[in-house]
Amino acid sequence: MSARLPTQGRLINRDRPVTFKFNGKLLEGCQGDTLASALLANGQTLMGRSFKYHRPRGVVASGSEEPNALFNLGTGDTLEPNQRATTTEIFHGLNATSQNHFPSLEYDIGVVNNILARFLPAGFYYKMFIHPRPFWKYIYEPFIRHSAGLGKAPDYEARDPDRYEHFYAFTDVLVIGGGVAGLQAAMSAAKSGAKVLLLEQTPHWGGRTPVDGGTIDGKDAEAWITETVKALQNMPNVTIRTHTMGAGVYDHGYVLGYERLTDHTPDTPGPRHRLWRIRAAQVITATGAIERPLSFAGNDIPGVMLASAVRDFAINYGISPGDRTVVVTNNDDAYRTAIALAKAGLKVPAIVDARPEGGGALMADAKDFGIKVHLGSAVVKAKGAKELHSVLIGPQDGDGSETTEVFCDAVAMSGGWSPVVHLWSHCGGKLIWDEAQAAFRPDHDKAPTSHDGAPFVIPTGTADGEMYLDAVLQNAAKAGQTAAVRTGAKAGSDAPPTADAPDEAPMAPIWLMPSNAPQKLRAKAWLDYQNDVKVSDVQLAAQEGFESVEHTKRYTTLGMATDQGKLSNINGLATLANALGEDIPQVGTTTFRPPYTPISMGAIAGEARGEIFQPIRKTPMHDWHDANGAHWEPVGHWRRPYTFRKPGESIKEAVNREVLATRNSLGLLDASTLGKIIVKGPDAGKFLDMLYTNMMSTLKPGRCRYGLMCSENGFLSDDGVVARIDEDTFLCHTTTGGADRIHAHMEEWLQTEWWDWKVWTVNATEQYAQVAVVGPNARKLLEKLGGMDVSKDALPFMGWVDGELAGFPVRVYRISFSGELSYEIAVPANLGRAFWDKLLDAGAEWDITPYGTEALHIMRAEKGFIMIGDETDGTVIPQDLGLNWAISKKKDDYIGKRAQERSHMTDPTRWKLVGLETLDGSVLKDGAYAFDEGQNANGQRNTQGRVTSTYFSPTLQKGIAMGLVLNGPDRMGDVIKFSNTGDGAKEARIVDPVFFDPDGEKQNV
Amino acid sequence: MSDVQMALGGASFDGLVTIEEVSGHGMITLRGDLSDKTVVKAVKDVFGVALPATRGAEFERANGALWMSPDEALLLCPYAQAQTNADALSAKLGKTHALVVNVSAARAVFHLKGYAVREVIAKLAPVDMSPEVFAAGQVRRTRMSQVAAAFWMDDASNAHVVCFRSVADYMFNILKNAAEPHASVNYF
């Protein structure tokens, strides 16, 4: 039974009790406790149920590598699943619930899986859920979805109340890790004059050293740490941060840092998490090392922990893991735990050392405390269900048949240490296998390289495979200096500190205890705690032919949980290697991917949520639209009114009203979103002749021409009216969605292909608000405003003129998309709203009607005008739409010309544009296909056409549509059948696409 | 003449910095070879400023010139003079291949004031805002969160941010959010 010790606890303040809730029970801890230490202090060693087999589990580690002690924290809007107890600092009111059990943590029916474990090995998912196939959709998939995951997903209605933000930081040297190596590296880099940013993921500086002991420069390690931190804080070229994890190393020195500002003090105002988006010239990974478990049967029973974790809990948090703790190890380091426990007055009934010769100085120290050491021995089996109660010890070199039972309530195990190579590996750093330490360490010859091909990451400390304190500090000083010099600083000359720590005997690689354990024991020797993968699973995978570690990983799910295999990678690899009869380096490792540990989605999103989730582009008249019943439609980031609903009107009614009012009298449209690109230069005409299918260079100043733009592959890309401003200057209108795109298109050709042509472009879209005044009374309104001559002679159809209206400086284009008498008027954007108001006011006598995009679409469809995005879809060429008249035959070339000569483009069976009217006057469905006889090679019904635009026309009081039909223009009058989604087919006649005013009389008045 | 309307009607906010929408900025886009002597002289004659070097910002009383690209500059002057200046500049440039466009209405401008201007901007723009790298006399044309933006510093605690008029609302809101009183970073 775990408990709080009467004294000690470096990181806790016993004078500050903290009350928190666990599974509904109120418990007490101390300020500085993590949830893990607080639960242990309260004797709560059972902390969760494993994913697959629902085995009782307790905490195994003391840091971010913890696989078992995962909890739901918070409730309602702040519920967060899968939070590690070892990295959660407790605070008043913390509310934790354990995961993955029903009905309770203590009594979980899921444990039936454990009983059936023999039938649920690795590969179970694949083998079980593949047959019978029809079961997948309604039985297997729902079952998997229900049982997947450990914690609870937040409720659909939950809304995260916290704030998150990003911060862009630039630095010369980024040091990730605030243990002694990181501190020394930062100091050396800073003293060499580099700008340094030092990040530490926990709340504390110094890493493992205060627990593991040793002296630095003749003084206590803790004193050196405190001094160094203080010195760094005072250096103007250094920034240091705790609670900040280096989450990932990306290309060119881009690193993400994850700062947890208020998780431990939720009542503090301000952002909860901050994502540091760092660009560093050099990155030093002082990321430490993680201890490996030993693979013996029952190594997952609550009470079995990593040796380093046991002493961390004892020394840092004043926790006794139990009255009697057995230490089992293949190296000297674990003896530190036995010594720490003995010093705290706790019993260590045995140290089980797999090595026949045992260890060095630390073993001698342990023996001085009267602790019995069993050499060449193994833990054959740990016994207990929800709590450990004993271990069976026997020879390591054996099959576990001869054992002695030792009663204990905790085991401190150590299989050795693995350098944390993750961040080194994220951006391509390679590893080498260190035989002596049985670990992968960074290969300095194959460092991640930056944009210049030069290395930009330097590993240091235990992350670089240096396990002894003195070597760590030397290594770190060198790393700091090297990094600084690489950024152009001059190396400092300070000598690094020296350190003293006991010599250690070599470790022995032990991948299974005992070495010849039978199947029964191997089936309970755990590798991956979080995904419930055992030694027998990996051996099974090898047996079934999975030789590649990447395949084995996915087949067994080893290393695929939220801990990314931090405790299981090497043990799993070694098991696979032994099963295949290969060396570990041959088998290799799987890929390390950011983030190092999970980061919140909130941090990734940063400020982008709610009102500022995405920019919404607003015209100068936006607020008027909003206040007058606008039913909004997104057009890219813009919002345009689809229609303006008067009180009580349906959308349909509003649209119909707008069309009729405009055709009968006077309508008003906000056309500000359309692109306006100014193109100027002696070669402007030549340039536009290449960009458009039409001949633009012949356009006269004062005149406008409707033009088509195609892609290099000949497909229609955009359309719009071009106005010739003067000899050298054109103004090109584009569609709303085309403005930025076509500007970029123009600049790309000018900068990369025709860089010697004298042409400048400016995207002036936002400079002007543009309003369309449309309808038989349009001219009357402009004349009423006064200031310029808008008679038919002064401003003919397809002309433009600069002038003044009601005192506003305007450019008036007489162009029409509706087929009515129509003027598009540009004013400077900051006068747009005032001008709009003025038009409404002056136009009231003609019942002026603002209309939206739907009325716009209907009117142009009545006139057979095409719409980019409706009649075009990226596969349509102008010739398909009967727009041959817009393709100049006098031009040698234009973008798309050659492509349009390809056989597929000149194929007479390409569907062509026609009008469609249903026999019964109803409206064809959007995207409807016209049926043809028979089926194609895929067993699909043959088609001979499709609808591209379809509306109810209030002008004609019937449904009208445009579509692309096989041989359409030659089949006027034919009746074909269109799909009608579930309501059977609809018959429609092929007609001319111009339904209304075919001679264009109305726009020519 | 009717009111010259700002995009947000002059909104303002007080937090880590004060944010205020400001009017009165005339802006003219000049496309041309910025190393061409005729161009340099024309700008000097009309605006009284020298064309700046790469990423530079030159100011002379109420006028200014910001480097946008090797062949684009943004010229600043009082709003009321913008069109006159644009016409005068075009005239001075004569046959020289150049394009002058008055874009005074196309933009929204925000004035940020306070010690934390660098931090507030650094939350939104992928720019090295440290004092030794970015100071008065420089401009950045970049993005802030999801929109295009340009900014320069008048001095250590005054900066101007420019964005397109259509996204003024969004810009104001992300600036406000970044300047939230309890969100200091304490980095610079």
Side-chain angles (χ1 to χ4, degrees):
Chain A
M1 168 72 91
S2 61
R4 182 86 73 189
L5 292 164
T7 56
Q8 80 187 54
R10 272 180 70 232
L11 303 180
I12 58 167
N13 185 344
R14 290 173 186 262
D15 294 331
R16 294 264 164 104
V18 173
T19 314
F20 66 99
K21 228 186 218 174
F22 167 68
N23 281 354
K25 251 187 339 208
L26 281 176
L27 296 176
E28 204 174 85
C30 303
Q31 188 186 70
D33 261 329
T34 61
L35 180 57
S37 61
L39 288 172
L40 289 174
N42 281 276
Q44 182 72 40
T45 46
L46 175 61
M47 295 196 189
R49 290 277 177 169
S50 70
F51 174 53
K52 204 160 129 192
Y53 301 119
H54 290 252
R55 289 172 66 84
R57 288 283 168 79
V59 67
V60 174
S62 59
S64 65
E65 60 276 5
E66 172 57 32
N68 288 334
L70 304 183
F71 294 89
N72 295 307
L73 286 185
T75 54
D77 282 340
T78 59
L79 171 68
E80 212 173 6
N82 295 340
Q83 297 304 294
R84 282 153 283 140
T86 50
T87 57
T88 302
E89 297 165 65
I90 60 169
F91 51 88
H92 277 296
L94 178 151
N95 191 338
T97 53
S98 52
Q99 302 180 154
N100 201 46
H101 49 71
F102 184 80
S104 74
L105 178 59
E106 284 73 22
Y107 300 103
D108 176 21
I109 59 169
V111 77
V112 71
N113 288 2
N114 194 30
I115 297 162
L116 297 174
R118 253 207 81 206
F119 306 104
L120 302 171
F124 157 75
Y125 308 108
Y126 176 70
K127 292 169 185 160
M128 176 63 199
F129 296 124
I130 201 166
H131 288 297
R133 294 279 196 199
F135 273 35
W136 176 259
K137 186 161 179 179
Y138 294 108
I139 300 176
Y140 295 149
E141 189 185 343
F143 171 74
I144 290 172
R145 283 189 184 279
H146 182 74
S147 29
L150 284 164
K152 263 191 282 197
D155 183 65
Y156 172 72
E157 297 295 338
R159 292 291 176 265
D160 187 343
D162 288 304
R163 284 188 61 243
Y164 303 84
E165 63 181 27
H166 291 178
F167 185 71
Y168 294 91
F170 293 72
T171 192
D172 292 332
V173 178
L174 171 66
V175 181
I176 302 174
V180 296
L183 290 168
Q184 180 58 49
M187 181 59 80
S188 296
K191 281 196 167 152
S192 303
K195 189 166 160 184
V196 176
L197 174 59
L198 170 63
L199 306 178
E200 163 55 38
Q201 66 180 345
T202 73
H204 311 287
W205 298 103
R208 292 213 54 80
T209 308
V211 168
D212 292 348
T215 58
I216 304 177
D217 270 352
K219 42 181 177 264
D220 183 45
E222 269 208 84
W224 181 88
I225 290 164
T226 312
E227 274 172 30
T228 309
V229 170
K230 198 148 175 221
L232 287 168
Q233 266 163 346
N234 289 329
M235 293 171 88
N237 55 331
V238 178
T239 303
I240 70 175
R241 284 300 229 259
T242 57
H243 290 98
T244 309
M245 172 183 76
V249 174
Y250 303 87
D251 287 327
H252 305 170
Y254 182 60
V255 177
L256 286 184
Y258 175 59
E259 185 176 16
R260 297 168 57 195
L261 292 149
T262 62
D263 279 337
H264 55 292
T265 53
D267 293 331
T268 308
R272 180 165 87 117
H273 297 154
R274 177 179 292 130
L275 194 71
W276 288 65
R277 303 175 68 164
I278 304 162
R279 186 74 64 177
Q282 292 288 315
V283 179
I284 296 177
T285 55
T287 45
I290 297 177
E291 198 167 30
R292 296 190 287 272
L294 282 164
S295 301
F296 55 83
N299 64 346
D300 72 324
I301 298 172
V304 178
M305 293 187 267
L306 294 171
S308 58
V310 169
R311 64 177 182 269
D312 285 343
F313 284 120
I315 295 172
N316 285 338
Y317 303 99
I319 299 293
S320 154
D323 295 324
R324 301 165 56 83
T325 305
V326 167
V327 174
V328 53
T329 180
N330 65 352
N331 60 74
D332 275 27
D333 185 67
Y335 283 84
R336 293 187 161 95
T337 300
I339 293 164
L341 292 175
K343 280 187 177 161
L346 297 165
K347 289 199 205 68
V348 180
I351 297 177
V352 179
D353 194 328
R355 300 168 292 176
E357 271 97 59
L362 288 161
M363 179 171 82
D365 287 345
K367 282 183 172 168
D368 285 346
F369 278 96
I371 303 174
K372 185 164 184 341
V373 177
H374 302 250
L375 296 177
S377 297
V379 166
V380 170
K381 185 175 173 167
K383 291 174 72 172
K386 293 186 205 140
E387 265 180 5
L388 181 67
H389 78 80
S390 67
V391 292
L392 301 177
I393 304 176
Q396 165 60 21
D397 200 11
D399 62 0
S401 44
E402 307 160 26
T403 59
T404 332
E405 190 166 19
V406 176
F407 293 99
C408 58
D409 48 3
V411 166
M413 60 179 170
S414 179
W417 288 82
S418 304
V420 172
V421 299
H422 303 54
L423 266 60
W424 164 265
S425 305
H426 282 168
C427 200
K430 299 281 178 268
L431 305 172
I432 44 172
W433 179 251
D434 183 333
E435 197 71 48
Q437 298 199 54
F440 279 107
R441 57 194 290 179
D443 182 353
H444 281 253
D445 291 335
K446 298 199 175 117
T449 54
S450 188
H451 63 286
D452 53 4
F456 75 97
V457 182
I458 304 174
T460 190
T462 51
D464 195 23
E466 295 295 346
M467 295 301 167
Y468 304 110
L469 191 53
D470 194 62
V472 161
L473 291 166
Q474 309 300 316
N475 175 302
K478 182 151 177 271
Q481 282 172 351
T482 308
V485 165
R486 284 186 188 166
T487 69
K490 216 175 130 201
S493 52
D494 281 28
T498 52
D500 250 317
D503 283 331
E504 297 184 26
M507 63 96 77
I510 300 290
W511 306 115
L512 182 60
M513 275 192 164
S515 55
N516 292 321
Q519 168 68 12
K520 213 163 57 118
L521 293 180
R522 286 183 273 128
K524 290 286 186 280
W526 299 89
L527 293 170
D528 187 319
Y529 292 108
Q530 208 169 107
N531 265 356
D532 265 350
V533 180
K534 24 204 213 303
V535 168
S536 56
D537 288 330
V538 173
Q539 291 173 336
L540 179 66
Q543 197 179 308
E544 297 193 358
F546 289 93
E547 293 175 359
S548 143
V549 65
E550 296 280 2
H551 289 156
T552 303
K553 170 182 174 175
R554 283 149 182 92
Y555 188 65
T556 61
T557 73
L558 175 95
M560 291 179 72
T562 70
D563 61 344
Q564 269 193 52
K566 288 186 175 63
L567 297 190
S568 65
N569 267 337
I570 304 302
N571 288 351
L573 223 57
T575 307
L576 180 64
N578 287 338
L580 297 174
E582 281 178 17
D583 287 329
I584 289 170
Q586 250 76 32
V587 175
T589 63
T590 56
T591 312
F592 297 93
R593 296 188 171 89
Y596 177 60
T597 63
I599 65 177
S600 66
M601 297 297 276
I604 297 169
E607 80 288 336
R609 58 190 297 186
E611 239 191 340
I612 51 179
F613 172 65
Q614 263 199 330
I616 304 254
R617 293 176 77 177
K618 302 180 179 179
T619 71
M621 289 79 101
H622 185 98
D623 289 342
W624 188 93
H625 302 331
D626 213 24
N628 284 276
H631 177 75
W632 291 106
E633 174 181 54
V635 185
H637 282 157
W638 291 102
R639 291 293 177 270
R640 299 189 73 185
Y642 181 89
T643 189
F644 294 90
R645 293 164 71 183
K646 290 201 150 74
E649 260 188 334
S650 71
I651 290 172
K652 234 186 155 116
E653 286 162 352
V655 172
N656 288 346
R657 172 180 54 76
E658 288 170 9
V659 172
L660 293 171
T662 303
R663 286 217 186 280
N664 293 335
S665 177
L666 185 57
L668 199 65
L669 173 82
D670 179 357
S672 305
T673 61
L674 271 68
K676 308 157 198 85
I677 303 175
I678 300 173
V679 180
K680 178 175 188 270
D683 294 322
K686 175 162 89 166
F687 175 62
L688 293 183
D689 281 347
M690 285 301 283
L691 254 59
Y692 287 94
T693 61
N694 327 52
M695 186 74 96
M696 284 305 177
S697 52
T698 55
L699 183 60
K700 304 250 178 304
R703 301 292 299 163
C704 300
R705 183 168 294 165
Y706 170 70
L708 302 175
M709 274 197 199
C710 295
S711 68
E712 268 188 287
N713 276 309
F715 299 118
L716 247 180
S717 169
D718 209 69
D719 70 352
V721 170
V722 177
R724 185 103 186 223
I725 307 302
D726 62 38
E727 180 68 35
D728 274 356
T729 314
F730 296 77
L731 189 142
C732 302
H733 287 102
T734 73
T735 60
T736 298
D740 293 333
R741 188 170 57 82
I742 295 300
H743 184 223
H745 172 68
M746 288 181 172
E747 280 294 326
E748 185 188 350
W749 281 90
L750 285 171
Q751 292 181 31
T752 64
E753 288 295 329
W754 304 319
W755 43 267
D756 53 341
W757 290 12
K758 286 177 154 35
V759 183
W760 298 116
T761 72
V762 168
N763 185 346
T765 303
E766 298 246 9
Q767 172 62 12
Y768 301 102
Q770 203 140 314
V771 185
V773 176
V774 181
N777 292 316
R779 187 179 282 123
K780 292 196 189 119
L781 172 56
L782 300 192
E783 282 167 346
K784 178 173 174 182
L785 293 174
M788 60 194 287
D789 186 353
V790 291
S791 64
K792 187 171 177 187
D793 293 327
L795 185 49
F797 182 56
M798 296 305 273
W800 66 266
V801 138
D802 279 337
E804 249 188 31
L805 283 171
F808 289 86
V810 297
R811 173 170 294 161
V812 183
Y813 304 88
R814 194 170 148 199
I815 55 184
S816 179
F817 196 38
S818 55
E820 296 301 321
L821 172 64
S822 160
Y823 301 88
E824 276 193 32
I825 306 170
V827 292
N830 56 357
L831 300 175
R833 173 63 193 269
F835 184 61
W836 175 269
D837 290 344
K838 187 83 194 158
L839 290 167
L840 281 172
D841 184 56
E845 69 176 270
W846 297 286
D847 197 25
I848 188 167
T849 300
Y851 65 89
T853 54
E854 188 64 357
L856 170 84
H857 289 178
I858 291 174
M859 287 193 280
R860 65 90 196 175
E862 289 169 346
K863 292 292 296 177
F865 294 144
I866 63 131
M867 195 78 191
I868 296 289
D870 284 314
E871 278 61 57
T872 71
D873 65 356
T875 70
V876 172
I877 58 176
Q879 292 85 338
D880 296 337
L881 302 179
L883 293 171
N884 305 58
W885 58 263
I887 301 171
S888 169
K889 291 173 198 43
K890 298 196 199 122
K891 294 200 290 193
D892 287 335
D893 200 7
Y894 59 83
I895 294 173
K897 182 179 164 95
R898 282 185 60 191
Q900 287 163 8
E901 289 164 12
R902 291 183 185 139
S903 57
H904 180 60
M905 303 296 211
T906 55
D907 185 343
T909 62
R910 285 180 73 86
W911 295 355
K912 298 249 183 330
L913 187 72
V914 294
L916 297 160
E917 56 183 24
T918 52
L919 298 187
D920 64 3
S922 60
V923 179
L924 286 171
K925 289 264 188 331
D926 235 316
Y929 273 93
F931 302 126
D932 201 358
E933 297 304 317
Q935 292 190 337
N936 65 15
N938 294 329
Q940 298 159 318
R941 191 151 182 186
N942 281 331
T943 55
Q944 57 169 326
R946 61 185 172 87
V947 171
T948 56
S949 301
T950 171
Y951 309 95
F952 176 76
S953 161
T955 310
L956 304 163
Q957 286 297 304
K958 64 178 183 185
I960 59 169
M962 286 197 270
L964 292 163
V965 175
L966 176 65
N967 296 322
D970 300 329
R971 296 167 66 188
M972 289 292 144
D974 280 9
V975 173
I976 53 180
K977 281 204 181 81
F978 281 86
S979 55
N980 197 29
T981 57
D983 292 308
K986 205 140 255 190
E987 290 185 304
R989 182 177 296 114
I990 298 174
V991 296
D992 193 287
V994 185
F995 290 89
F996 178 70
D997 181 24
D999 295 327
E1001 289 167 11
K1002 297 199 87 188
Q1003 76 195 5
N1004 269 326
V1005 301
Chain B
M1 182 68 276
S2 24
D3 263 357
V4 172
Q5 271 271 348
M6 290 185 277
L8 305 174
S12 73
F13 172 80
D14 237 317
L16 291 179
V17 295
T18 311
I19 300 162
E20 207 190 335
E21 185 193 15
V22 291
S23 71
H25 280 82
M27 298 193 201
I28 289 138
T29 289
L30 165 65
R31 299 281 329 260
D33 180 355
L34 301 187
S35 61
D36 182 332
K37 287 200 192 61
T38 320
V39 174
V40 173
K41 185 167 188 304
V43 169
K44 188 82 187 179
D45 286 348
V46 176
F47 292 85
V49 274
L51 276 174
T54 304
R55 291 191 295 277
E58 294 280 339
F59 289 93
E60 186 55 51
R61 281 177 296 164
N63 293 347
L66 307 169
W67 184 93
M68 292 280 112
S69 84
D71 53 28
E72 182 178 344
L74 184 63
L75 306 167
L76 306 174
C77 66
Y79 180 84
Q81 294 164 15
Q83 193 56 51
T84 334
N85 284 339
D87 295 339
L89 184 59
S90 289
K92 291 249 175 211
L93 287 166
K95 284 281 166 212
T96 309
H97 173 46
L99 172 55
V100 176
V101 181
N102 182 353
V103 292
S104 307
R107 310 280 168 71
V109 184
F110 298 90
H111 177 204
L112 273 55
K113 189 180 177 69
Y115 294 122
V117 284
R118 293 180 184 280
E119 270 191 11
V120 169
I121 294 174
K123 291 185 190 185
L124 305 170
V127 171
D128 191 348
M129 292 300 293
S130 46
E132 57 280 12
V133 174
F134 185 73
Q138 294 197 25
V139 67
R140 290 289 181 267
R141 179 197 201 184
T142 175
R143 65 173 174 85
M144 287 172 86
S145 290
Q146 300 176 52
V147 292
F151 56 85
W152 66 90
M153 292 181 74
D154 300 307
D155 56 47
S157 54
N158 284 282
H160 280 84
V161 175
V162 181
C163 70
F164 283 116
R165 189 186 189 82
S166 64
V167 294
D169 233 349
Y170 173 82
M171 176 59 79
F172 186 67
N173 286 329
I174 58 174
L175 287 170
K176 247 173 68 177
N177 188 65
E180 220 269 325
H182 301 287
S184 291
V185 186
N186 298 320
Y187 182 65
F188 296 113

